[in-house]
Amino acid sequence: MSQSLPCLFVDLPLVRANAEAMVQLCEASGIHPVGITKLACGAHEVAEAYLDGGIRILGDSRIHNLEKLQGLPAQKLLLRIPAASDVMDVVRYADISLNSEEHTIRALSAAAVAQGRVHKIIVMHDLGDLREGCFNVDDTVALARLVSRLPGLELEGLGTNLACYGGVEPTTDNQQQLVDIAHRIEQELGVKLHVVSGASSAALPLLLRGGLPDGINQLRLGASLLMGIGLNDDPIPGTSQDTMRLGVEIIELKEKPSVPVNSTALDAFGNKPVFEDLGIRRRAICAIGKQDVNFDDLIALDPALRIIGGSSDHLILDVTDTAQPYQVGDTIYFALSYGGALQCMTSEYVRKEYLH
């Protein structure tokens, strides 16, 4: 194992097993999950683990990440609604995109015609989470009608987003509302929608309780595949949550007071620090900082270790009470919340190692 730290270690067999478990769970209810790679920044290794686990559609929020995945045998879905300025690349690298704006849909039509392609559209409806989608049902139906009439486009289905911005939980009621709108579109337009895309991993608890209504046939899964978590970051039964761990190196280890001497200024982030006087403590400085990850998103695997704080480049730990006799150069490991994993994946200063 390479010792270049900090490093985020990703256990690909566990990711693959998570994908297998989610595919089995979903397909038993007639649902075909999309494997979202945005948490992994479109990492080819993670996408391959998804596919090995039975995923057949890959989704990401960034066109650049979908471009990286072009060689993989799967349909590609753009998760974030497209920018009108990106439509040529959207059509080039995504087979499907989620949409809520007439202006952008018309631009996608022109781009698809120019490239001689057919681009699939999932029209988004806002069920109250107040992120993307038309809020009025008539507007959603009108947008679906527009897609069905424009050249170069195919109306793939209807979707919604929940529990990402407004904290609105997927429920039987709001998922049934989406199914009802899909039926109205089919009746008024005389079409058959291939996809009714209910929600993200946040809908898995509802599925496990048997509360997801008939007619929902797609879920967009990312956190459940890569981290084994769903709504409120709760573990999904039958999946692993220890798929990733962060290793950081100790670069200083000294006994120091627990309260700074004559602290009067703000810290580097404009905050007035507050300290608890615990006397002289054994303190480890590690080579990672707030530029890479929010310290509140770190969970030390050594339960006796305490995170004190740090700065943009340094993480400071209290290792006084640990059984492990840490030394300079040793590696300390952390589990991560969803936000912490996202930050570490995004940071170019955190190396990624994919364990096979």
Side-chain angles (χ1 to χ4, degrees):
M1 183 181 295
S2 171
Q3 293 303 304
S4 177
L5 300 173
C7 181
L8 186 65
F9 299 95
V10 183
D11 191 319
L12 293 176
L14 290 182
V15 173
R16 181 174 63 249
N18 282 356
E20 289 174 348
M22 291 300 92
V23 168
Q24 183 177 2
L25 171 67
C26 289
E27 291 190 345
S29 297
I31 295 167
H32 303 288
V34 178
I36 304 302
T37 60
K38 73 170 185 176
L39 179 58
C41 295
H44 210 274
E45 296 87 347
V46 169
E48 287 182 319
Y50 285 1
L51 297 183
D52 290 344
I55 293 292
R56 291 295 170 259
I57 303 177
L58 296 172
D60 205 288
S61 295
R62 269 70 174 176
I63 284 292
H64 174 67
N65 290 343
L66 293 181
E67 182 180 359
K68 292 190 294 186
L69 302 178
Q70 282 307 290
L72 293 177
Q75 290 192 81
K76 315 299 188 306
L77 179 147
L78 179 61
L79 189 64
R80 182 167 64 187
I81 54 176
S85 56
D86 290 335
V87 292
M88 291 299 287
D89 282 344
V90 173
V91 170
R92 184 174 292 114
Y93 298 118
D95 303 290
I96 312 162
S97 63
L98 312 181
N99 283 268
S100 60
E101 283 291 339
E102 177 180 342
H103 175 76
T104 307
I105 287 172
R106 291 187 183 277
L108 285 167
S109 171
V113 170
Q115 295 183 38
R117 295 171 179 255
V118 174
H119 184 74
K120 299 177 181 180
I121 299 288
I122 296 176
V123 172
M124 296 297 285
H125 181 76
D126 189 342
L127 287 171
D129 201 62
L130 303 184
R131 208 177 74 174
E132 75 272 40
C134 300
F135 200 73
N136 183 282
V137 175
D138 290 340
D139 292 341
T140 299
V141 174
L143 208 58
R145 180 177 288 107
L146 175 67
V147 172
S148 69
R149 291 175 175 175
L150 287 174
L153 301 182
E154 179 180 329
L155 180 59
E156 178 74 354
L158 177 70
T160 195
N161 177 74
L162 294 167
C164 281
Y165 170 70
V168 177
E169 180 177 347
T171 64
T172 301
D173 180 64
N174 59 38
Q175 295 295 280
Q176 185 61 53
Q177 289 179 49
L178 191 69
V179 172
D180 292 344
I181 296 168
H183 288 161
R184 176 178 163 184
I185 290 171
E186 291 178 330
Q187 293 170 1
E188 292 192 16
L189 274 60
V191 299
K192 176 63 178 176
L193 299 181
H194 299 116
V195 167
V196 181
S197 191
S200 63
S201 298
L204 289 172
L206 183 64
L207 174 61
L208 287 165
R209 296 195 301 268
L212 202 63
D214 292 339
I216 300 293
N217 62 7
Q218 184 185 87
L219 295 177
R220 307 177 301 277
L221 306 184
S224 56
L225 304 186
L226 195 51
M227 300 185 71
I229 57 176
L231 184 69
N232 300 325
D233 290 349
D234 291 336
I236 298 295
T239 65
S240 298
Q241 288 73 54
D242 54 351
T243 55
M244 291 187 284
R245 60 176 179 159
L246 174 68
V248 300
E249 183 175 347
I250 298 176
I251 57 175
E252 179 183 293
L253 188 63
K254 297 185 183 301
E255 290 190 352
K256 296 185 181 182
S258 48
V259 177
V261 179
N262 297 325
S263 174
T264 59
L266 302 180
D267 66 16
F269 291 85
N271 302 310
K272 178 59 178 175
V274 177
F275 303 95
E276 181 182 3
D277 190 350
L278 299 174
I280 301 297
R281 305 293 287 179
R282 189 166 174 79
R283 295 154 60 94
I285 297 179
C286 297
I288 194 169
K290 294 180 181 179
Q291 185 169 356
D292 307 298
V293 64
N294 184 334
F295 299 156
D296 290 338
D297 292 317
L298 300 178
I299 304 102
L301 297 187
D302 184 338
L305 181 153
R306 190 165 68 93
I307 297 174
I308 300 174
S311 60
S312 57
D313 302 310
H314 302 86
L315 170 64
I316 304 175
L317 309 172
D318 185 333
V319 297
T320 308
D321 301 323
T322 61
Q324 175 73 22
Y326 291 112
Q327 302 295 326
V328 170
D330 285 353
T331 302
I332 292 180
Y333 293 99
F334 296 88
L336 296 157
S337 70
Y338 177 90
L342 182 65
Q343 290 170 323
C344 288
M345 276 288 187
T346 304
S347 175
E348 63 177 289
Y349 306 112
V350 177
R351 189 174 63 85
K352 287 78 182 173
E353 185 165 322
Y354 298 95
L355 308 176
H356 294 271

